[in-house]
Structure formats: C-alpha cells, structure tokens
Amino acid sequence: MKVSERRKEILSLLGNSSAPIPAGLLSEKFAVSRQVIVQDIALLRANGYDIIATSRGYYIGGAIRAQRIFKCRHTLDELVEEAELIIDNGGRIDDVFVNHRVYGRISARLDLITRMHAEELHRSLVSGASKPLMSVTDGYHYHTVSADSEQSLDRIEGALRARGFLIEI
C-alpha cells in the first residue's frame, strides 16, 4: 500500500469511528510501526486535518458542534453516575477543571465517551494513586461537555440538575 493510500485510509477510519483509535491498532492494521503512524498523523495535521490525540488514541475533531461548561458537585462515589448521565444523553466529557484560590485554573483532559471510560477513570482514582481535582475544592468542579446539538446539551443539563449534581452559575 502506498503512503498516500494509507493516510487516506487512516482519515477514513478516524472519521467513521465513534471512539478514539489507538496508534498501536492502526500500526497493526497497516503492518507498519507505531512511529510510522505517529508520523502519518503529524503530516495529516500539518495538512490541516483536525486530528486530536488522547491517551486512548486519535479521533477527528470538528464532528462535535455544540459545547457547554457545567459546574458540578458530587462525591467520588458518584463520579461514574455523573459521567453516565452525560454520556447516556449524548455527551462527551472533554475535560475537568477546578478554580483553585492559589493556583488558578487546574485542568485535565478526559475525553470520556463511553461508560467503560468512566469506570476506568473511577477505578484509577479509588485505587489511591491520585486524587480527583474536585478533592481540592470540596467536590466542586467544572466539565466541558461536547455533543452533536444544543438539544443534547439541554438534556444533559436537565439530567444533571434532576440528580442534584448541577450547580447553577
């Protein structure tokens, strides 16, 4: 397969996937090294393609048209429930951030798009290796949430409000 054909196929796979695709999976599919895939992605980005890199893999940006920030508060035990409310109503949790009184805004990219991702995050936090950002602000935190429409974001807002997780700004 020619390099240009591989790159077109990579774009096609990323564009048709509902979840990030790891570089290792792409390298297996095309029988090239992971480094070759990383270089392909870099060149595709240089040519104007909006490819987002996450810890779970690559995806094409720009497919999400609506975005909103929600201020929430809950316990660590309720983290998965909050994420599932967002995901089940058509959202993707892009990040989490807190406003620390000394350090200012502290944020972390999440890219949670499935229930499994939420459960993995929860397991890693309850293991004790790290604490969630909300632990430094008494449970208060913000999420940037993306969805395919404002209506989806309205549903998410309603679900968070009904459960008592949403803090009115």
Side-chain angles (χ1 to χ4, degrees):
M1 175 181 282
K2 292 182 180 179
V3 173
S4 61
E5 292 171 356
R6 183 180 64 240
R7 290 182 185 147
K8 283 181 186 177
E9 185 65 22
I10 289 170
L11 284 172
S12 176
L13 289 169
L14 294 176
N16 291 318
S17 178
S18 61
I21 301 175
L25 188 67
L26 292 170
S27 69
E28 287 175 20
K29 176 167 179 50
F30 296 110
V32 296
S33 70
R34 186 180 177 286
Q35 185 57 38
V36 167
I37 296 298
V38 171
Q39 290 171 350
D40 285 344
I41 296 294
L43 288 170
L44 289 167
R45 283 177 165 163
N47 285 312
Y49 291 97
D50 185 18
I51 300 174
I52 310 295
T54 72
S55 61
R56 291 183 184 87
Y58 298 106
Y59 68 91
I60 299 281
I64 303 298
R65 293 183 301 274
Q67 197 173 63
R68 197 174 295 171
I69 294 175
F70 296 106
K71 183 177 184 181
C72 300
R73 185 175 189 225
H74 56 76
T75 66
L76 178 58
D77 292 337
E78 296 168 320
L79 182 144
V80 173
E81 183 182 356
E82 175 204 43
E84 288 175 347
L85 285 173
I86 294 169
I87 291 163
D88 291 350
N89 282 287
R92 179 179 77 202
I93 305 171
D94 298 329
D95 65 13
V96 60
F97 64 93
V98 297
N99 290 320
H100 192 276
R101 290 185 180 175
V102 174
Y103 301 119
R105 182 178 170 153
I106 305 169
S107 66
R109 189 94 185 144
L110 293 178
D111 292 313
L112 301 180
I113 59 174
T114 67
R115 286 173 162 247
M116 185 178 74
H117 292 156
E119 291 164 5
E120 288 171 359
L121 174 64
H122 183 258
R123 272 193 304 275
S124 68
L125 290 171
V126 297
S127 73
S130 292
K131 293 188 181 238
L133 287 179
M134 66 184 187
S135 67
V136 300
T137 55
D138 195 31
Y140 292 97
H141 60 284
Y142 298 83
H143 287 297
T144 305
V145 175
S146 300
D148 62 353
S149 68
E150 288 294 328
Q151 291 80 12
S152 293
L153 292 172
D154 290 343
R155 279 194 314 273
I156 292 164
E157 185 172 329
L160 292 171
R161 182 178 288 116
R163 181 55 183 85
F165 293 154
L166 187 68
I167 303 300
E168 303 297 335
I169 300 176

